[in-house]
Amino acid sequence: MTALAEAGPGAVVLTLDTVSYAIGLDTMVIILEPGDRPDGTAVQSADEIALRGEPIPIEAGLAIDRRSATGLRFVGFVRLAEGCLPLGPLEFLCSWQSFERPELMAYCGMKIVNRLPFDLLDLVRPVVRSQHLPDLGWVTLLPGDPVAALRAFVDTWYADVPSATGEPASSPVPLPAPLNEFYRVAAGRNSILSGVNEVLAADKVRTADHDPFDGWQPVPDGLIVVGTNLATEWGIAIDPAQPDPQVLYLGVADEPVVEREPLSAYLMQHVLVNVTRTLPFHASAEVTAEQARRLVEPLRRVPLRPMRWPRDETSLYVGSGLVVAVCAGPQAQPRSAWSAREAKDDGDLCEIMVGAIDRSVLLPMREPGFEWASFGG
């Protein structure tokens, strides 16, 4: 009753399986059920809740949409056996509508203003330690056979996602063997293709005959665009006539920027970086080089040369069920930002991005000696 009283007299109460909304004139109370639901409605981290997985009632969605005009404030609780545990005030982060029913809000993220200590977080979102984590056998195949390493990584990390049968869509031009194998490995596992950097489906590959995308430089003769950066819309290009071609970024600088590793190894790196960006169990922070060194000390360095994206010295480290990207040097930004004059270099600071196959993998990183910007463990 204390939780509902926060919404004031006459509040409209809407109850679903994992969440209740009490909507008053100036306050919405959100009461969550405890539990770990990475793809559903639940407390997701010490400072964030997610409302999704079941339609957000239209009354609640409208109230959230009109929050600025009405001055609506948000308060959170979690329903435990002994009573409701207060999460305190919440702040709206972002939302989007349902594709099937645009009148309904499909997702809403809320920030927990007063970050939960880990002992309370474990009450409302208990973590079950995994007994089965993928091994690191695929790393032993690097740097000699990155195509086999990629196949072995995907077979272990995405074992619960069935691979599609049949041949992938055909490309307008013949493609190098490493890219064709990548498409076979990724078939049915679309998250492997996508991320901030996306590998285009084979039938979406662009050649010099295509008109350039808005803001892009034209595709040089002899090259094809096989990927994009979704944030800044620059292209990832190769020469399809080469058996294992260089990878070039078009539109990042006045001249193409060349990755250090060829296509076969770049595709392995692409998948690993996407793991740190797209999995629900992730963490990120900006730290000093020494703090980053201590974090990755117990991990295994992926034996490939540093990537030039998302920063010019991006190195990858792995453990069982864990991938860490340490991004140092100038940030990749569109157009001439890679020149010595304009590149942004944070000196001793670097960005770390962590992705884990299971939430329990992140538990040893809860107190790393610095403050996480976001942390899903």
Side-chain angles (χ1 to χ4, degrees), residues 206-229:
R206 298 179 67 84
T207 69
D209 296 332
H210 288 86
D211 293 329
F213 293 155
D214 291 342
W216 276 25
Q217 296 169 328
V219 180
D221 288 335
L223 299 184
I224 59 173
V225 171
V226 297
T228 64
N229 179 279

Side-chain angles (χ1 to χ4, degrees), residues 263-275:
L263 178 65
S264 57
Y266 168 81
L267 292 170
M268 180 79 252
Q269 293 173 315
H270 162 83
V271 171
L272 293 174
V273 170
N274 272 357
V275 162

Side-chain angles (χ1 to χ4, degrees), residues 108-183:
C108 179
M110 294 272 183
K111 177 183 177 181
I112 302 171
V113 175
N114 302 315
R115 185 183 180 91
L116 292 177
F118 285 122
D119 59 340
L120 291 186
L121 179 62
D122 288 338
L123 280 178
V124 302
R125 195 216 59 193
V127 179
V128 178
R129 292 184 180 272
S130 175
Q131 301 300 312
H132 304 287
L133 295 174
D135 63 38
L136 296 177
W138 59 273
V139 183
T140 63
L141 300 171
L142 296 171
D145 194 344
V147 173
L150 173 64
R151 191 184 308 114
F153 175 85
V154 171
D155 284 346
T156 54
W157 273 65
Y158 296 87
D160 59 338
V161 182
S163 177
T165 57
E167 288 297 312
S170 60
S171 163
V173 295
L175 298 175
L179 187 56
N180 281 323
E181 182 60 22
F182 177 83
Y183 287 134

Side-chain angles (χ1 to χ4, degrees), residues 3-336:
L4 296 180
E6 290 268 357
V12 176
V13 180
L14 308 166
T15 301
L16 285 77
D17 288 343
T18 57
V19 61
S20 296
Y21 302 89
I23 309 169
L25 293 177
D26 61 0
T27 303
M28 176 187 290
V29 175
I30 300 171
I31 308 173
L32 301 166
E33 297 299 318
D36 189 2
R37 294 176 290 276
D39 298 319
T41 293
V43 174
Q44 298 297 336
S45 68
D47 54 12
E48 187 172 340
I49 71 171
L51 308 172
R52 62 183 170 198
E54 52 193 353
I56 297 174
I58 192 166
E59 297 93 333
L62 288 173
I64 294 170
D65 281 339
R66 296 169 180 167
R67 67 194 178 279
S68 297
T70 61
L72 189 69
R73 67 187 186 100
F74 305 96
V75 179
F77 292 82
V78 176
R79 196 191 314 276
L80 301 177
E82 56 272 26
C84 284
L85 175 75
L87 300 177
L90 307 173
E91 289 182 356
F92 173 85
L93 289 175
C94 62
S95 67
W96 56 79
Q97 303 304 114
S98 167
F99 288 113
E100 293 79 13
R101 299 183 61 188
E103 75 276 11
L104 291 178
M105 185 178 289
Y107 172 84
C108 179
M110 294 272 183
K111 177 183 177 181
I112 302 171
V113 175
N114 302 315
R115 185 183 180 91
L116 292 177
F118 285 122
D119 59 340
L120 291 186
L121 179 62
D122 288 338
L123 280 178
V124 302
R125 195 216 59 193
V127 179
V128 178
R129 292 184 180 272
S130 175
Q131 301 300 312
H132 304 287
L133 295 174
D135 63 38
L136 296 177
W138 59 273
V139 183
T140 63
L141 300 171
L142 296 171
D145 194 344
V147 173
L150 173 64
R151 191 184 308 114
F153 175 85
V154 171
D155 284 346
T156 54
W157 273 65
Y158 296 87
D160 59 338
V161 182
S163 177
T165 57
E167 288 297 312
S170 60
S171 163
V173 295
L175 298 175
L179 187 56
N180 281 323
E181 182 60 22
F182 177 83
Y183 287 134
R184 279 190 284 271
V185 170
R189 298 155 168 164
N190 293 334
S191 63
I192 296 172
L193 293 173
S194 61
V196 178
N197 274 5
E198 177 179 16
V199 175
L200 298 174
D203 58 343
K204 304 297 183 184
V205 165
R206 298 179 67 84
T207 69
D209 296 332
H210 288 86
D211 293 329
F213 293 155
D214 291 342
W216 276 25
Q217 296 169 328
V219 180
D221 288 335
L223 299 184
I224 59 173
V225 171
V226 297
T228 64
N229 179 279
L230 300 182
T232 53
E233 296 185 343
W234 41 264
I236 302 167
I238 62 169
D239 177 355
Q242 300 299 317
D244 194 8
Q246 291 181 316
V247 174
L248 302 94
Y249 299 146
L250 304 180
V252 175
D254 296 330
E255 298 295 331
V257 173
V258 183
E259 264 292 4
R260 295 180 176 90
E261 292 287 355
L263 178 65
S264 57
Y266 168 81
L267 292 170
M268 180 79 252
Q269 293 173 315
H270 162 83
V271 171
L272 293 174
V273 170
N274 272 357
V275 162
T276 71
R277 293 286 187 108
T278 60
L279 290 186
F281 312 117
H282 58 81
S284 64
E286 190 172 68
V287 299
T288 66
E290 176 59 21
Q291 288 170 327
R293 186 195 66 77
R294 289 200 300 268
L295 183 79
V296 301
E297 195 170 29
L299 304 179
R300 187 165 179 174
R301 189 178 186 280
V302 176
L304 297 172
R305 287 173 289 183
M307 297 182 73
R308 303 200 69 183
W309 182 90
R311 295 197 185 186
D312 194 41
E313 292 280 342
T314 293
S315 299
L316 295 160
Y317 300 82
V318 292
S320 294
L322 183 73
V323 180
V324 178
V326 177
C327 313
Q331 289 182 330
Q333 297 186 20
R335 298 302 174 189
S336 299

